Amino acid sequence: MEILFAPLQGYTEAAYRTAHHRHIGGIDNYYIPFVRLEHGKLLRRDVRVLDRAAADRGVLPQTPQIIASTTAEAAAVVLEITSRGLGHININMGCPFPLLANKGKGAGILPHPDKVHALLDEVLDRATGAGATVSVKMRSGWEKMQESMALLEILNPLPLTHIIMHPRLGRQGYKGECDMEAFARFENECEHPLYYNGDLTTAADITRITSAWPRLRGVMIGRGLLADPALALEYSQGAPMPRVARLAAIGKIHTDVYAEYEARIEGGQSQLVKKMQAFWEYLLPEGDRKAHKAIRKATTTDAYLRAVNTLLAGA
Ligand SMILES: Cc1cc2nc3c(=O)[nH]c(=O)nc-3n(C[C@H](O)[C@H](O)[C@H](O)COP(=O)(O)O)c2cc1C
């Protein structure tokens, strides 16, 4: 039973993944938020993302992810990844953001089996030629769950290593319940190793899913891990991490992430504070609500760090 850390653009960046792995762990693989082409080139930010992933090979188990709608785009991004010696590529067919989905990227590609087929063929061709393997992260559909069922005809025969299924529709965004019936039907007919993804926030949630579907290769968790970074470890060890130890570990992760952004971010204190505020958005070490508010309101690093210290002191 593997546990994968889901990619969340803006939250699970390299600094966070590295610090989480160092101070808590319990994760089999960290998925990197998608990289993409814009105007025919990788974004500068994404060049850094892939260079860093290549540098961290062997230190941090992680998987780069691409998002693309055309075969030309996909071929170019795959080359960026394989030329850096990264050996596995995940294809995003789940992103619901309209700006991308309207261009047939992410979940926007799901209603178009012909486009999915062309994209996967291209990525598999290029990746395999360079010695890399390929997996897919997808939703149950854009408009209706029948879309993912129809895609199984294409997906099943292809040499994918695995599929990660988030059983929501693209048009739902992140709202509403996961559709467990859609997941059950997909699981029943999917011939690839499968991971479940969506709304797992406690060790009991993970157990519920893995008992219901014993054939699963594992689960992928995003927001649940950001809220409780020890969740995977707690599941595998069968016991909750004591509160004091958890706060201490969160403190260490925070110190590393802060140090990295402090060294890198240009644009002064307010930029740094803004960037760090995202660290706390999902994270709720049960504690001082006043300190939480102070973190959100801080505009200087002094005020920010004072609030963080109060929160982590275990109020
Ligand atoms: C802010 C945000 C950014 C995300 N970025 C990505 C991404 O880059 N790639 C991806 O495949 N999924 C992305 N996701 C989806 C998550 O990986 C995950 O599938 C989703 O949050 C459901 O899992 P969870 O309930 O465990 O968080 C993002 C989700 C959110 C809320």
Side-chain angles (χ1 to χ4, degrees):
M1 251 301 305
E2 291 178 19
I3 300 189
L4 313 178
F5 206 134
L8 271 86
Q9 202 78 247
Y11 297 90
T12 64
E13 294 179 355
Y16 184 87
R17 298 192 302 271
T18 307
H20 184 277
H21 181 63
R22 181 179 301 147
H23 298 299
I24 296 188
I27 302 296
D28 290 285
N29 202 288
Y30 293 80
Y31 278 55
I32 302 175
F34 60 77
V35 296
R36 67 190 164 97
L37 289 195
E38 210 170 85
H39 307 303
K41 276 195 347 205
L42 265 193
L43 298 174
R44 265 190 29 214
R45 182 196 69 185
D46 288 345
V47 170
R48 278 203 308 271
V49 166
L50 293 183
D51 286 346
R52 169 81 174 258
D56 287 345
R57 224 159 8 121
V59 180
L60 186 63
Q62 51 183 355
T63 295
Q65 185 189 63
I66 69 169
I67 194 165
S69 55
T70 67
T71 53
E73 239 180 318
V77 195
V78 168
L79 183 63
E80 294 281 358
I81 292 175
T82 54
S83 64
R84 287 171 170 83
L86 297 164
H88 185 77
I89 296 168
N90 182 255
I91 306 176
N92 181 317
M93 300 201 306
C95 179
F97 298 124
L99 226 54
L100 295 167
N102 290 343
K103 293 184 188 148
K105 295 182 182 166
I109 201 170
L110 294 171
H112 308 290
D114 48 336
K115 290 189 180 147
V116 170
H117 206 162
L119 185 75
L120 293 181
D121 272 350
E122 182 75 17
V123 173
L124 277 162
D125 228 39
R126 304 270 172 171
T128 315
T133 53
V134 178
S135 62
V136 167
K137 179 169 181 276
M138 63 189 288
R139 290 187 177 232
S140 42
W142 175 263
E143 196 71 47
K144 47 187 195 303
M145 70 152 164
Q146 285 74 13
E147 293 166 23
S148 56
M149 297 308 293
L151 287 179
L152 276 170
E153 256 176 59
I154 295 166
L155 296 168
N156 276 339
L158 290 176
L160 300 167
T161 54
H162 58 276
I163 293 177
I164 302 154
M165 170 54 79
H166 176 52
R168 273 194 176 93
L169 296 171
R171 64 175 168 78
Q172 277 181 275
Y174 295 99
K175 298 202 194 90
E177 303 271 298
C178 286
D179 182 347
M180 299 317 283
E181 194 196 318
F183 184 76
R185 288 174 61 176
F186 190 87
E187 193 270 349
N188 193 41
E189 290 186 32
C190 176
E191 292 169 12
H192 294 293
L194 186 65
Y195 293 80
Y196 171 85
N197 168 237
D199 296 353
L200 302 179
T201 58
T202 64
D205 286 345
I206 304 173
T207 305
R208 182 170 43 78
I209 292 293
T210 54
S211 325
W213 287 287
R215 282 187 312 180
L216 286 186
R217 171 74 61 89
V219 295
M220 172 177 265
I221 307 175
R223 292 165 298 179
L225 270 165
L226 288 173
D228 175 8
L231 177 59
L233 201 63
E234 290 169 341
Y235 170 77
S236 58
Q237 295 183 345
M241 188 184 260
R243 183 164 173 274
V244 173
R246 184 157 74 232
L247 282 180
I250 290 170
K252 286 182 188 164
I253 295 177
H254 179 268
T255 301
D256 283 10
V257 172
Y258 187 90
E260 183 168 334
Y261 289 146
E262 189 180 31
R264 206 179 70 207
I265 285 182
E266 294 156 9
Q269 293 198 16
S270 65
Q271 284 284 25
L272 175 58
V273 170
K274 233 190 184 143
K275 183 84 190 152
M276 287 309 300
Q277 279 158 339
F279 182 90
W280 300 98
E281 222 164 282
Y282 290 103
L283 185 60
L284 298 169
E286 57 294 345
D288 192 338
R289 289 180 58 197
K290 256 170 53 194
H292 264 295
K293 201 165 157 197
I295 288 176
R296 276 202 310 276
K297 293 199 142 184
T299 52
T300 65
T301 49
D302 270 0
Y304 170 78
L305 289 174
R306 230 177 303 124
V308 169
N309 287 337
T310 309
L311 189 70
L312 290 177

